[in-house]
Amino acid sequence: MPTQPELPAPAHADLDSMLSRKFGKEVANYFSGSPINRLSFLRTDNKFLSAALNHPSTSFLLLNSLAPLAHSPTSLAYSPFSDISPLLTPDPFSKSEEEHISSFNSTQTTPQLIFLGVDESDSTTPIFSWNIYSGKPFFALDVTPKGTLKDACETLIKSKEDDGLTFLQGRAHMSFPASQAAIYAEARALMDWNARNPFCAGCGQPTLSVNAGFKRTCPPSDWAGINGVVGSTTSDKPTPRADCATRKGVSNLCFPRTDPTVIMAVLSADGKRVLLGRQKKWPQYWYSTLAGFCEPAESVEEAVRREVWEESGILLGRVQIHSTQPWPYPANLMIGAVGQAVPGGEEVVLKHDPELEDAKWYTLDEVREALRVGTGGLDDMSKTNEGYVEGNLRLPPRTAIANQLLEAVVGGWATSGAEKL
């Protein structure tokens, strides 16, 4: 079984506080705990962004069709500005955001560039400094070959592969060290959102990335010759575009989406068993906690109760939030909770939502043993842990919040209070 990476350390883990005494230590899940200060309030400052972009200490994470450049499955590979400068010439931050919008030309391919933030703990010299902020800047850059940059991207990709690096393919990457995983999660989620939204949801016209990759806007004019049609010839003056609701008042159409998803460890009414389910496509004996999307006008607690009933027929009483996990596939926030079944509501019924192939109750001891020797991802369950007995329960790895929820309930989180954490 591949070694599972360590989880990030919670913020101020050793600090005694009123809240930690009451609720226990904070739980930090994989993909959280980023070392980066995002400095979100500076994303419209093109002078700051230009200085960070061109600084010799700046690192760029390259993604090719969302596949990250890496040394290996356990180590990302960052690139210096000198390697990617042909794609970013002229400086994309040489103009203000307003000038950038007014010069929009939908026929020109611009590589998606995202300012991730500054690692203020990194003292690599020379140190980047801006006012009171200093450290190592990080950007993510899309190098997917397309449009007018196809040849340049292909040349860059080949040079990286000739250096022995690779763009990691696969559905999910969960073997990077915690700090790298958090940086990758931010980069992937935002790159994916930008790639999915090249056209305005309000009017259907091409959009433009602004706010250092954290917003897309629908420009009022286009230097393309035929009303913004991609592939048209350029014009000597911009063409006014059709009216769009996103240019009027406050609109959320152009901001990255994060989909709230509930995931829950369900205890029996007596607190001695845990409900687990499995989908048909999962590896044999592999079960997990139940999960589902939180719908509009629904509280987290209501979503937990609804999803558990729909998928398993179990009726829940009290629901308590445990921790959360950013999940960049594509842009979820996993809201981890613990719920307890009501007396008389513990019969498993699979006739409602057909999502699960099976759902059943396991004793706390069975879950403890699976957490000890039977954890692994969906893609690596062919490799067994030392001590695992074929046919016994298998569970998600510790990089998944499902694992942390199960560790919590078998460790007494729901029965003994914060003093056991």
Side-chain angles (χ1 to χ4, degrees), residues 20 38 60 63 83 107 121 129 132 153 161 165 175 177 196 222 228-229 278-279 326 329 333 393:
S20 63
R38 298 194 181 195
F60 295 82
L63 294 99
D83 287 1
T107 65
S121 67
S129 295
I132 63 173
C153 287
E161 292 175 341
L165 304 176
S175 55
R196 289 171 184 261
D222 192 343
V229 177
R278 61 170 278 109
Q279 295 183 18
Y329 304 110
L333 177 62
L393 175 65

Side-chain angles (χ1 to χ4, degrees), residues 256-416:
R257 61 181 290 172
T258 295
D259 300 324
T261 306
V262 291
I263 181 167
M264 40 277 176
V266 174
L267 284 167
S268 59
D270 62 7
K272 296 179 179 180
R273 295 173 296 158
V274 181
L275 179 71
L276 298 173
R278 61 170 278 109
Q279 295 183 18
K280 186 176 182 179
K281 63 183 179 180
W282 290 353
Q284 196 172 17
Y285 314 124
W286 203 89
Y287 282 71
S288 185
T289 55
L290 276 56
F293 288 102
C294 187
E295 297 186 346
E298 183 177 50
S299 71
V300 170
E301 292 82 358
E302 289 173 318
V304 168
R305 294 187 184 97
R306 175 183 56 77
E307 285 288 344
V308 170
W309 177 81
E310 288 179 353
E311 295 184 1
S312 70
I314 303 300
L315 298 175
L316 294 188
R318 182 73 166 92
V319 172
Q320 179 64 45
I321 295 175
H322 172 268
S323 62
T324 60
Q325 179 181 36
W327 189 255
Y329 304 110
N332 301 106
L333 177 62
M334 308 298 291
I335 305 172
V338 176
Q340 189 167 19
V342 300
E346 298 174 313
E347 180 184 359
V348 174
V349 178
L350 299 179
K351 67 180 182 181
H352 306 303
D353 188 333
E355 180 176 344
L356 296 183
E357 176 190 51
D358 187 30
K360 62 175 65 173
W361 293 100
Y362 285 89
T363 67
L364 295 182
D365 284 341
E366 288 175 313
V367 175
R368 285 191 189 96
E369 179 64 7
L371 288 170
R372 187 179 71 86
V373 298
T375 64
L378 290 171
D379 300 327
D380 60 12
M381 290 308 293
S382 60
K383 307 176 182 67
T384 58
N385 294 20
E386 183 178 354
Y388 175 76
V389 177
E390 185 67 20
N392 284 355
L393 175 65
R394 289 179 166 180
L395 294 171
R398 65 183 172 193
T399 48
I401 190 174
N403 181 291
Q404 299 306 299
L405 293 173
L406 293 173
E407 286 280 6
V409 295
V410 301
W413 185 84
T415 56
S416 302

